[in-house]
Amino acid sequence: MSENTAETEIFGAWGAVLPDLSRAQLAVVGSDGQFAVIHRIADDQWQTLAFAYDEESARRIAELIRAMTPMPDHLRIGGTGIQTGQDTDHPGVEWVVATAVVEDADPIVRITGPGTHRLWVVPSTDGEVLGLLNPDGDPHELAEFTSVDGADAFIAMIDALFALQGSRGFAEGPAERS
């Protein structure tokens, strides 16, 4: 997002340490009718990873990240990046968590609980469109990534946030900045 005088709304912001030990931040923001998922490593400038389709989609992305990443159990489907499994029935990377914490010895019951939240980073069949989906929700299609590197940075950040299990690294939104 470019710097301007328009007010920027932060729907959610998170920080984590990535596997390479670099500090990273992720935020879902809106300004002047544009909505984006942005990312920053160390003191470098923010980069846009994805553009949300509208404000509702941006808010849903933030809500899902906020609800999903602190859960004690989750299911991760896929490999290391968005190009993983491109020729399969389940390409990309998806995370699944229960909508509520369930105490049960069976991990499937703990993950599916009374319902699930799902977030799926997926390539299109032609590899040109890299999307962020909310498979069980409305809106279903949330955002389009700017590049493979952008999608992979998002995947790395979400994995790092799940590793925190809600213990630290969160700067809760929504908040506003001018």
Side-chain angles (χ1 to χ4, degrees):
M1 312 247 352
S2 62
E3 289 186 33
N4 59 34
T5 58
E7 192 171 291
T8 299
E9 184 172 2
I10 302 171
F11 300 112
W14 304 268
V17 176
L18 300 176
D20 67 1
L21 302 181
S22 61
R23 295 179 50 123
Q25 293 176 290
L26 181 76
V28 181
V29 300
S31 179
D32 200 26
Q34 291 186 349
F35 305 94
V37 178
I38 58 175
H39 183 252
R40 177 172 72 174
I41 296 178
D43 292 329
D44 295 339
Q45 292 185 337
W46 288 92
Q47 67 180 40
T48 301
L49 301 182
F51 287 101
Y53 293 118
D54 53 28
E55 183 175 349
E56 183 181 9
S57 296
R59 287 186 186 283
R60 186 66 182 149
I61 293 166
E63 288 169 8
L64 285 169
I65 294 170
R66 192 176 299 111
M68 293 175 70
T69 56
M71 294 301 281
D73 295 302
H74 73 281
L75 173 64
R76 184 185 188 282
I77 305 165
T80 57
I82 192 167
Q83 300 293 7
T84 302
Q86 220 169 355
D87 296 329
T88 68
D89 291 339
H90 206 93
V93 175
E94 181 179 8
W95 300 270
V96 181
V97 301
T99 56
V101 176
V102 175
E103 298 296 329
D104 195 289
D106 185 349
I108 297 300
V109 171
R110 289 193 314 267
I111 290 170
T112 58
T116 58
H117 288 302
R118 296 170 58 197
L119 195 56
W120 188 4
V121 178
V122 62
S124 64
T125 54
D126 63 6
E128 295 297 316
V129 177
L130 310 168
L132 181 60
L133 304 179
N134 175 22
D136 294 333
D138 184 28
H140 173 74
E141 296 178 352
L142 299 174
E144 189 172 311
F145 288 96
T146 59
S147 66
V148 168
D149 289 342
D152 288 345
F154 180 83
I155 291 166
M157 188 67 188
I158 297 299
D159 284 343
L161 292 173
F162 270 112
L164 293 174
Q165 294 185 333
S167 64
R168 64 187 196 288
F170 287 88
E172 288 292 334
E176 290 188 12
R177 284 189 190 167
S178 49

